[in-house]
Amino acid sequence: MPIKIPDNLPARASLEAEGLSLMADTEAARQDIRPLRIGLLNLMPDKPTTERQFARLLGASPLQIELSLIQLSSHSPKTTPAEHMLAFYRPWEEVRRQRFDGLIVTGAPVETLPFEEVGYWDELSRIFDWSETHVHAGLAVCWGAQAGVRHFHGVPKHVLADKRSGVFAHANMAPASPYLRGLADEIDIPVSRWTEVRPEDLPADGSLRVLLDSEESGLCLLEDARRRWLYMFNHPEYETGTLAAEYARDRLVDPSTPPPAHYFPGDDPSRAPRNRWRSHAHLLIGNWLNEVYQTTPFELEAIGA
């Protein structure tokens, strides 16, 4: 089923070229079904790229998706043109009275800062609280996931000695989980972060369940069943060349930066990387959307009741 995004969103052209089925407002109105309303709180600097990455995964589902782009009210992005933000985004203060079947919170380039020193931490905390009454299910990614477990469970993050970057193998710790349905016993997922959440800091009451874990790169995916949140510390949404672009950027700052682990063939940066995680990413996000669809109320007003 197509994903409904604005006709002139820059991501549309590239997604259509990939064969993704997209839908205009007039076409969506003719379908006698209620689309899933998914909000994307985009905290990344390169917002058009992040929009494309998540729209690609959401649009591969057989469900009709209505994607709403949300920005913080207390923070103005410096690297995305104001015209783009004005055309396609709505500040959270403008949508806080609305209800959503799902909310995705992205990562942000602030992970080495203490949470309380992040300029928009207070607003993000209010958004997490708001999600308990206005959002049926949530998916937080990378720093967004660390922020979620910190806000809801008091779980700290730890700064790493070196950046953890690469494509790492992750063990499927809960094959019977609806979120991991159909996933292999071991899957590859891109990792790109300076911090980590550690198992010994998770709540002793079992309120956070480990779904994906890696011996080499650590915790990957946690489930908060009571709140219907998933916390993904890594990047299944990354495109084939994303880690290569990050590596080139990091080398401008530090020429001795090592290449991402297990990413380039033979760990040779002169060779083009191959995408080994695309199918896992589509299945994981598809499973999340299906679980949202199966459990969300038909009437939006009933969400959070």
Side-chain angles (χ1 to χ4, degrees), residues 110-122 143 146-147 150 156-157 159 195:
V110 294
E111 55 180 316
T112 58
L113 287 174
F115 290 114
E116 293 76 11
E117 292 183 16
V118 175
Y120 48 78
W121 178 249
D122 286 345
W143 181 83
Q146 295 179 347
R150 169 65 168 79
K157 60 182 172 66
V159 177
T195 54

Side-chain angles (χ1 to χ4, degrees), residues 182-243:
L183 286 173
D185 294 338
E186 185 176 88
I187 64 173
D188 292 327
I189 298 179
V191 177
S192 178
R193 48 184 164 80
W194 288 93
T195 54
E196 68 177 359
V197 169
R198 296 174 179 169
E200 58 267 27
D201 295 322
L202 299 183
D205 61 6
S207 54
L208 290 176
R209 181 189 185 195
V210 179
L211 300 185
L212 293 173
D213 193 16
S214 171
E215 291 185 0
E216 192 172 1
S217 63
L219 292 173
C220 175
L221 181 65
L222 304 179
E223 178 190 7
D224 184 346
R226 188 180 76 79
R227 292 183 173 84
R228 289 187 295 271
W229 271 90
L230 291 183
Y231 306 107
M232 163 58 73
F233 300 120
N234 300 322
H235 289 283
E237 81 282 4
Y238 268 13
E239 297 167 331
T240 304
T242 303
L243 285 175

Side-chain angles (χ1 to χ4, degrees), residues 253-274:
V253 178
D254 180 3
S256 66
T257 298
H262 321 303
Y263 174 60
F264 296 109
D267 289 329
D268 180 358
S270 68
R271 300 175 65 184
R274 291 184 177 273

